[in-house]
Amino acid sequence: MTTDLLRRLRPGTRGLLVGLLTAAFLAPFYLMLRNALMDARGLTSPRWTWWPAHPHWENFTALFDDPTLHMGQALGNSLLIAGITAPVSTLLASAAGYAFARIPVPGRGVLLALVVATLMIPGSVTFVPTFVVVGSMGGVNTLWGVIAPGLFNPFAVLLFRNFYLRFPAEIEEAGRLDGLGWTGLYRRIALPASGAMLASLGALAFIDSWNSFLWPLVIGQDPSAWTAQIALSTFLTSQTINLPGLFAGAVVTVAPLVAMFLIAQRYIVEGIATSGLKG
């Protein structure tokens, strides 16, 4: 309906509307970069300036020169955590979704109901038990302790199940004639055909893992296990407030997410459209 409404508008009106929406989307990034290039006095001044007369590019170098911040290591930790969580969780969800959609095993409906039930449990309820389990296994102040709870995504399982339910069964029958079992059918036929879903959900899992704050804060208590989000929080405490450093760190931290979205935006839209959850 929204697409049809846009098509009925005149080209000039349509261009103006697209321009306004684009400006609204880019405004936070402009403010973030503007604030990152200002000093503390300019940020707190009641007089508005569109762009600093003397940009303070040294705010960015100060991020990595501060020995107490560990920004370089924190960015590396975030990249490692998200780089492992995204593909592993997506592949696990894909395999589970295919099993729920295709493999006729006793109790499959009960297991699927349990997966759906986990979506109804608030994260605050499972937070402490998860910490107790991970802590008892020695996961505190380790990167695997941050990674492990994020490897299982029931919502992605449901999306993959919907996708494989819509996948043509005739293609799999041809694979059966070639002697393929369930594993071969999934690995050679179903998995390659779900490339858009893998890319879209993988990108969303990467973004979610990169932006995670509370769990890495509790598990990564030592600076060596900090993520980029934890390092950013040190700029704003009850004792000190470093707004230029905070905005400079935000620019550095959000840059990988912007790059990820620009690369994967087409796959995100295509993956959601083929998952069976159309609006």
Side-chain angles (χ1 to χ4, degrees):
M1 181 179 298
T2 304
T3 305
D4 295 337
L5 180 60
L6 290 175
R7 290 176 179 175
R8 296 175 184 176
L9 297 176
R10 295 181 179 180
T13 305
R14 190 187 312 158
L16 178 61
L17 180 60
V18 171
L20 292 175
L21 293 176
T22 303
F25 175 79
L26 295 177
F29 298 98
Y30 152 72
L31 291 173
M32 193 185 305
L33 181 59
R34 165 193 172 272
N35 294 343
L37 295 176
M38 298 183 69
D39 55 11
R41 179 178 298 179
L43 278 175
T44 56
S45 174
R47 183 179 179 181
W48 172 262
T49 55
W50 288 99
W51 192 257
H54 303 285
H56 293 268
W57 296 102
E58 65 274 10
N59 290 340
F60 291 99
T61 59
L63 289 174
F64 302 94
D65 293 338
D66 189 348
T68 64
L69 186 58
H70 309 283
M71 177 57 76
Q73 185 178 16
L75 287 171
N77 290 342
S78 290
L79 183 60
L80 179 62
I81 292 170
I84 295 176
T85 301
V88 174
S89 65
T90 305
L91 287 175
L92 289 176
S94 174
Y98 182 79
F100 280 122
R102 286 289 192 258
I103 303 178
V105 295
R108 182 176 61 175
V110 176
L111 293 176
L112 181 60
L114 292 176
V115 172
V116 175
T118 61
L119 295 174
M120 305 177 186
I121 303 175
S124 57
V125 175
T126 61
F127 192 90
V128 174
T130 303
F131 177 80
V132 172
V133 172
V134 174
S136 64
M137 298 173 64
V140 178
N141 291 327
T142 63
L143 294 184
W144 75 260
V146 181
I147 295 172
L151 296 181
F152 310 99
N153 188 344
F155 182 69
V157 172
L158 294 180
L159 290 181
F160 274 111
R161 175 182 175 272
N162 288 344
F163 173 80
Y164 290 127
L165 284 175
R166 296 154 53 96
F167 188 74
E170 295 79 7
I171 301 178
E172 292 182 327
E173 291 298 329
R176 286 189 176 279
L177 295 178
D178 293 335
L180 295 178
W182 289 116
T183 303
L185 290 173
Y186 169 72
R187 183 169 56 88
R188 297 189 180 184
I189 298 177
L191 184 62
S194 59
M197 284 286 295
L198 290 170
S200 62
L201 291 179
L204 294 177
F206 184 94
I207 293 173
D208 183 67
S209 177
W210 185 276
N211 286 332
S212 180
F213 177 77
L214 185 57
W215 179 253
L217 175 66
V218 174
I219 289 295
Q221 301 173 8
D222 188 82
S224 62
W226 282 1
T227 62
Q229 308 300 331
I230 307 304
L232 279 181
S233 67
T234 61
F235 287 108
L236 192 61
T237 66
S238 58
Q239 290 80 25
T240 60
I241 298 178
N242 184 358
L243 291 179
L246 177 63
F247 283 106
V251 171
V252 173
T253 303
V254 81
L257 298 185
V258 174
M260 171 65 68
F261 178 78
L262 294 177
I263 294 173
Q265 60 176 331
R266 179 169 64 88
Y267 300 102
I268 293 175
V269 175
E270 184 179 349
I272 296 300
T274 58
S275 66
L277 294 182
K278 297 181 180 179

